[in-house]
Amino acid sequence: MLEELRMEVYRANMELPARGLVTYTWGNVSGIDRKRGLIVIKPSGLNYEDLTPEKLVVLDLKGRQVEGDLRPSSDTATHLRLYRAWPQIGGIVHTHSSMAASWAQARRDIPLYGTTHADYFYGPVPCTRDLTPQEIETAYEEETGNVILETFDERGLNPVFTPAVLCASHGPFCWGKDAAQAVYHAVVLEELARMACQTEQINPQARPAQDAIRDKHFYRKHGAHAYYGQG
Amino acid sequence: MLEELRMEVYRANMELPARGLVTYTWGNVSGIDRKRGLIVIKPSGLNYEDLTPEKLVVLDLKGRQVEGDLRPSSDTATHLRLYRAWPQIGGIVHTHSSMAASWAQARRDIPLYGTTHADYFYGPVPCTRDLTPQEIETAYEEETGNVILETFDERGLNPVFTPAVLCASHGPFCWGKDAAQAVYHAVVLEELARMACQTEQINPQARPAQDAIRDKHFYRKHGAHAYYGQG
Amino acid sequence: MLEELRMEVYRANMELPARGLVTYTWGNVSGIDRKRGLIVIKPSGLNYEDLTPEKLVVLDLKGRQVEGDLRPSSDTATHLRLYRAWPQIGGIVHTHSSMAASWAQARRDIPLYGTTHADYFYGPVPCTRDLTPQEIETAYEEETGNVILETFDERGLNPVFTPAVLCASHGPFCWGKDAAQAVYHAVVLEELARMACQTEQINPQARPAQDAIRDKHFYRKHGAHAYYGQG
Amino acid sequence: MLEELRMEVYRANMELPARGLVTYTWGNVSGIDRKRGLIVIKPSGLNYEDLTPEKLVVLDLKGRQVEGDLRPSSDTATHLRLYRAWPQIGGIVHTHSSMAASWAQARRDIPLYGTTHADYFYGPVPCTRDLTPQEIETAYEEETGNVILETFDERGLNPVFTPAVLCASHGPFCWGKDAAQAVYHAVVLEELARMACQTEQINPQARPAQDAIRDKHFYRKHGAHAYYGQG
């Protein structure tokens, strides 16, 4: 069952160490089959070199394990929360990649400083508020999903236009139309985070790029009038 | 047609990922055959691993596509603008390389802090002004070329002595006598940008190198009295 | 004798250059056989490419050499001091890894800024006081062990919950249940140290993660109620 | 002639790109045969991949070319000046390695912040004064050697105890008993320079390590009472 999705999610997981986004087991990718309402996700704490498509875990959207002997990622409840809220997304990734996690630890949004950012994110990458001690102690992983949704709701953000978030004191979650694009966005985010940090080091008074640059670059790549790539 | 130039531009493009200057498809190199008035450039949004010399696109200096089924780089109009203005140059490269793009996002010239810089650039690497919203919305890529030319004109810079520019909130364009040299300059620029940032971190009051150092090192490598290399 | 431990300590030593934690010969790993009261440690100043399991040195807990022709690591007395004081640990590693050693040179504890840290360390990574000139001149390596123990005693730290220390003006020592886990903690420490430095660069007013986050993440991975991994 | 020295200097040169200390042709290593009074040095501007032992250039201490068709490194006069002044040294290397060159551009000595530094350098790594315009314009490379000697003389430094210098606005020169050790010191210097920069970032009020630490670590590795390594 779900042969193709398993392979897709497997490949997306293996891209994380290949791109230098994870140390040891720090990270997990999932993908969803919207028709069947099933997700495929990395097992908890498994080394990437030991991962195979068969070892991936299949769950339904309520978190009931449908296939696989291994325990799913400890972050599974966060993935499920986002899949339930956002039907537009098909893949999710969580990492502790160095620069993005540092912005999360600094509890700051990543400002849109240039075209590299605007090519993929239509505005700053938001950082959530802190969870309350009660949220942490009761249903930590699900509440992590809730605070992500709260952040997007309160700021009126569209997850398709802003395909990543920083969880305060923790690290990034990214998503996309499928698992591969979610990981693509995680790679882009890490590079944006590095460049934003360097930009402020070079000029502590750096200002974000103007709105016209943001619009031009985002819509050069996205939507009906896009003219980047081979269409 | 243009077999040799195609191969040269292909090799220069492939040097970008090999030297760590590009993530995914972020970057493009072109070269020109001045006699025929034709340029060869990377197709838009193509992965480097899928690139072949045959897939490169050939255009005339007015931007009319002469060979190739693929759409040329979305930055083609910037390349063309520079080729038309500066007959001395034979190759152009655009990247979002991490440190050079960070200076561009910080909207600062890169000061000439030492001999590594002076060996290739006879003065600071200039950063353009912001484009106006109107320039961005009408003919963005061509206006990017115009603001580069404006920067060099207003400051009285010779593109052969200053073979790179930073486009504000965007990233670098570099050039040279051919595509290979343009990429060489892009590698040098990235290293200069990193070292200038580190220099200011180590000494926030760092001063540029004195003019005599700039003159000595630049002319040790360039011009009639050069004595570096096997000449 | 100690075939298995030799192999384990050999592999742990070789992991140091593989993970980028050492330059040249800067680092050493040891492991202990608690039943026999013997430790296995890297020889002093030997290049990793020349290391074999047979070249490792065996000593008893008083530092008497039991096997091996080579001189043991110059830091052996520090290892022995920790093994004698802490029966819970089975492996120790010392490196000069770039970011952790920089915090040690800055003489600062590494604050617990986020979940990456809390997954392995239940609080800041402590930095020792300076040794006195007398301690340095008499029995430097043993006194290094003493000041580590003093740091943990005075702060009431459990070495199992805080498996690393920074020696002021020097570098880190890490430990674990065996040599492999000690090196694992050294890799984690280096990444934490890098992220903490970046966090403060991005936000000079960064605050540590709240206690609830520390508790949640540490106990998600450790102790009776852990639910990370495959148990 | 000088087969062995050629091979030694060749290997030392090739170590530079292997260790990430040079970009393109930026760097050169030489070695000396004190009995014959001859030095072997890299040709100017040659790519490392094109270098062979046969292409190295042999000169006497007055700079007269004795063997080789290629022009010697443009920095040859600096090497010769140091060999003539310091009979204790057998190899010299010049690089533009990123962090050491950044300290040189910042025109600052590298403070001795810890044991990694003290294991190889008995005090700060000194930075020279600026050359005067006249010194630059007349005999630049020889005057570079002169200002290095002036720095060591005025500060009463022993080149064996301080095997490197930073040339203001330029980059490092390192040396050792032979070409291999000179390159070894260049690798150490680059790592020290990186760690010192990070140390000041983590703690802008960082103080150098105390003198007792400097003495302990330097003499643990050097001189009659050394006990590091296999003696």
Side-chain angles (χ1 to χ4, degrees), chain B residues 42-111:
Chain B
K42 180 170 177 290
S44 182
L46 200 74
N47 285 313
Y48 287 93
E49 55 261 44
D50 299 329
L51 190 62
T52 61
E54 294 73 35
K55 286 184 184 159
L56 292 167
V57 184
V58 181
L59 303 106
D60 69 18
L61 276 170
K62 291 190 176 158
R64 286 174 301 213
Q65 194 152 339
V66 172
E67 278 185 12
D69 300 327
L70 298 171
R71 199 186 292 179
S73 165
S74 56
D75 297 309
T76 297
T78 313
H79 290 243
L80 291 170
R81 190 70 196 83
L82 299 184
Y83 282 125
R84 288 196 305 263
W86 291 337
Q88 326 79 310
I89 69 174
I92 298 175
V93 55
H94 170 54
T95 77
H96 291 233
S97 70
S98 185
M99 291 303 314
S102 295
W103 281 87
Q105 293 193 156
R107 293 178 170 97
R108 283 188 59 197
D109 299 353
I110 305 177

Side-chain angles (χ1 to χ4, degrees), chain A residues 106-164:
Chain A
R107 294 178 170 96
R108 284 189 58 197
D109 299 353
I110 305 177
L112 189 159
Y113 280 127
T115 61
T116 320
H117 186 129
D119 278 338
Y120 300 96
F121 293 84
Y122 188 70
V125 178
C127 182
T128 68
R129 66 163 171 82
D130 284 0
L131 292 179
T132 66
Q134 203 186 349
E135 287 167 338
I136 293 166
E137 283 150 24
T138 52
Y140 173 61
E141 290 83 5
E142 175 142 13
E143 294 294 356
T144 298
N146 284 333
V147 79
I148 292 171
L149 297 175
E150 177 191 312
T151 303
F152 275 65
D153 285 350
E154 286 193 354
R155 305 198 194 187
L157 298 176
N158 178 341
V160 175
F161 282 26
T162 304

